[in-house]
Amino acid sequence: MSKTFASWIKENGIGEVECLVPDVNGVIRGKVFPAQKFLQSERDGSLRIPSSVYTLTVTGEYADDADEITSMSDPDVVLRPDIETICVAPGYKTPTAFVFADAYHTDGRPYDIASRYVLKRVIDLYKKDGLRPVVAPELEFYLTQVNTDPDLPLMPPAGRSGRSETAPQPYGLEAITEYEDLIETIYEHAEAASLHLDTMIHESGTAQLEINFNHGDPVHISDQVLVFKRIVRQVALKHGVYATFMAKPMENQPGSAMHLHISVVDAKTGVNLFGAPLDQTGGNTDLFRHFVGGLQKYLNHVTPLFAPNVNSFRRMRPDFSAPINLQWGYDNRSCGLRVPISQAENRRIENRLPGADANPYLALAASLVCGYIGIRDKLEPSTMIEGSAYNKARTLPRTLDEALDRFIACEPVRELLGDHFCLAFQRIKAHELAAFSGVISSWERDHLLLKV
């Protein structure tokens, strides 16, 4: 018997259901229902939410000219929960479930600025050509002391030894066991929520961790990334610390990335179409080369989709192992695009540009749409480099302002992502940028107040 909401909720003894709606920033919004109310609303199609939810900025305000994006009357959109995404929500007193919902106009058309739909739209381009993208993110994050004053810098928390880290501990096993209780709870909650996690390591920053996800469908993996982020933040709070996915939370520490491993397979056979025998073009197929060519030509123009915040651009500095251009090379972590050591059957490209703060749906949509254009137009990549890519010119934009100008002017990408979405995204980000520009920083008060 196929799974239904009613049978699943009964089998798992669920009392409440959280209907999750990711906004443009990847912030989870939505509604909480008693289980029976959820079932009734799902059956009669009365699950709805104001369309303006999708124009909210990261500050919780509505974007300038939001009424032009959603229409003056702010109509409701219909929410259709995705049965494949329902999972146990661990850590609640009342047995609770998560489920992601897609948004539709009342006439049945998909709501085209919903980030989950934007990614599905790109995947459909591949489906039409008999292709299927497969992805796996590596997501970095920091644990910090509780910090209730935003003017104060973040500090690493004490571990079970009672001491805080003061030096880098990449891959340190003793360092990661400092947070063993918290990590075990994360794994327990992730298992309860059916997340497909692989390996956790200690990264280069103080109290910086990285989790690897198993390869899978881009939409499903994006759902899992958002659930994982929520679990980690909740578990951290219960252990008396913060967990942050900011791209650059501390000025003298490395930033946090969301590296994306991407391959394309035959939709019918599942055969990896990126890998060839080593005696043929170095093990890379023409399709793989064209995919990389598309990334190299267009990722510069869609940077806001994987570096969406002012803080995102603080991470992209060569001193802290973050890429500054779109060079590519074998097993070369200075490149924005790295080809990991792999056989033909698991050949993939690692896009090292996205930050941990990115909306996973949009970061993947950006990567896949650029690769798709490369395949479609048979774009050739540059010559692979050896040595440090930091010796090459910076080609990524330096600021969100510059990145937004490039994004809105990139017609080939706008055509495939949808003009309505691109306009909405640009206005949301421009509103956030204007709000940031009005803030006087502690640096300005420190160095200018009594000197100039």
Side-chain angles (χ1 to χ4, degrees):
M1 186 177 73
S2 61
K3 177 171 67 175
T4 66
F5 283 114
S7 62
W8 190 93
I9 285 172
K10 181 179 180 181
E11 181 181 340
N12 290 275
I14 298 299
E16 290 185 348
V17 177
E18 293 191 344
C19 199
L20 308 184
V21 179
D23 72 7
V24 165
N25 280 299
V27 175
I28 295 178
R29 306 189 186 276
K31 295 183 175 182
V32 183
F33 298 89
Q36 294 307 310
K37 173 66 175 177
F38 168 81
L39 291 173
Q40 181 60 44
S41 300
E42 191 272 332
R43 280 194 295 265
D44 61 26
S46 63
L47 285 176
R48 302 190 177 195
I49 202 165
S51 55
S52 57
V53 161
Y54 293 93
T55 66
L56 283 168
T57 67
V58 77
T59 63
E61 301 173 312
Y62 292 100
D64 295 331
D65 303 320
D67 53 356
E68 295 182 19
I69 301 170
T70 62
S71 90
M72 292 288 288
S73 59
D74 186 17
D76 280 349
V77 288
V78 178
L79 298 180
R80 296 183 188 171
D82 182 348
I83 184 67
E84 297 302 322
T85 69
I86 195 164
C87 62
V88 172
Y92 289 76
K93 292 181 179 178
T94 299
T96 301
F98 295 142
V99 65
F100 284 89
D102 291 310
Y104 293 81
H105 294 279
T106 52
D107 63 6
R109 290 176 295 122
Y111 193 55
D112 60 1
I113 66 174
S115 56
R116 206 166 183 265
Y117 171 74
V118 172
L119 178 53
K120 287 183 175 183
R121 179 173 177 156
V122 174
I123 292 171
D124 282 343
L125 297 172
Y126 286 82
K127 286 182 180 178
K128 291 175 183 176
D129 291 338
L131 305 174
R132 178 167 57 87
V134 179
V135 304
E138 298 172 348
L139 186 63
E140 298 168 347
F141 61 97
Y142 275 92
L143 302 176
T144 77
Q145 295 179 19
V146 171
N147 183 315
T148 58
D149 185 346
D151 281 336
L152 296 178
L154 297 170
M155 301 294 292
R160 64 181 183 178
S161 68
R163 304 182 66 184
S164 300
E165 290 183 18
T166 58
Q169 297 288 343
Y171 291 90
L173 294 181
E174 291 301 321
I176 201 170
T177 57
E178 282 286 294
Y179 313 106
E180 182 178 2
D181 292 343
L182 185 151
I183 291 170
E184 284 186 357
T185 306
I186 289 173
Y187 270 116
E188 289 170 1
H189 284 202
E191 184 177 1
S194 302
L195 301 189
H196 302 148
L197 305 183
D198 189 359
T199 309
M200 183 176 285
I201 64 166
H202 194 295
E203 257 296 346
S204 299
T206 54
Q208 186 187 33
L209 307 177
E210 177 187 275
I211 189 70
N212 297 342
F213 288 77
N214 290 324
H215 287 76
D217 167 75
V219 176
H220 177 64
I221 292 294
S222 298
D223 294 339
Q224 297 226 336
V225 168
L226 288 197
V227 170
F228 178 79
K229 283 185 171 184
R230 195 169 189 211
I231 286 173
V232 169
R233 283 192 282 254
Q234 291 174 346
V235 169
L237 287 175
K238 289 181 179 179
H239 283 78
V241 299
Y242 282 171
T244 180
F245 295 87
M246 282 179 66
K248 184 74 171 178
M250 289 177 273
E251 61 187 43
N252 294 317
Q253 295 292 332
S256 289
M258 181 173 61
H259 299 152
L260 302 175
H261 292 252
I262 303 172
S263 55
V264 173
V265 304
D266 184 289
K268 290 184 178 179
T269 66
V271 172
N272 188 330
L273 300 176
F274 277 0
L278 287 176
D279 59 351
Q280 298 179 24
T281 63
N284 300 323
T285 63
D286 287 343
L287 187 138
F288 180 54
R289 290 172 50 80
H290 297 326
F291 187 92
V292 174
L295 296 182
Q296 288 190 317
K297 182 169 182 176
Y298 288 105
L299 278 178
N300 281 323
H301 300 280
V302 296
T303 309
L305 297 180
F306 55 79
N309 303 301
V310 172
N311 180 261
S312 308
F313 292 84
R314 302 191 190 280
R315 168 182 160 260
M316 294 180 180
R317 295 164 53 195
D319 292 343
F320 292 98
S321 302
I324 59 171
N325 53 42
L326 286 159
Q327 300 293 334
W328 72 312
Y330 279 114
D331 199 25
N332 188 334
R333 287 180 170 83
S334 69
C335 295
L337 303 171
R338 169 178 172 258
V339 182
I341 297 172
S342 54
Q343 304 301 317
E345 60 270 19
N346 60 1
R347 175 73 75 218
R348 60 196 184 277
I349 191 73
E350 178 189 8
N351 179 1
R352 296 177 59 81
L353 274 63
D357 59 334
N359 178 333
Y361 305 99
L362 299 185
L364 280 167
S367 303
L368 293 174
V369 79
C370 293
Y372 172 80
I373 295 174
I375 293 171
R376 183 193 68 187
D377 297 348
K378 295 182 168 52
L379 300 179
E380 285 295 326
S382 65
T383 302
M384 280 189 175
I385 70 161
E386 297 181 1
S388 177
Y390 298 131
N391 296 328
K392 303 293 184 179
R394 182 186 183 108
T395 56
L396 293 174
R398 295 179 181 274
T399 66
L400 180 59
D401 203 359
E402 179 188 351
L404 287 172
D405 287 343
R406 293 192 196 183
F407 173 69
I408 207 65
C410 188
E411 292 187 7
V413 167
R414 286 185 58 173
E415 178 185 357
L416 297 180
L417 295 182
D419 269 334
H420 189 215
F421 162 74
C422 292
L423 174 63
F425 181 86
Q426 191 273 338
R427 288 185 173 176
I428 289 168
K429 289 296 148 186
H431 184 100
E432 293 172 359
L433 185 59
F436 176 81
S437 299
V439 174
I440 308 301
S441 69
S442 59
W443 186 95
E444 292 165 275
R445 290 190 292 271
D446 186 19
H447 294 287
L448 305 179
L449 181 66
L450 301 177
K451 296 178 183 177
V452 298

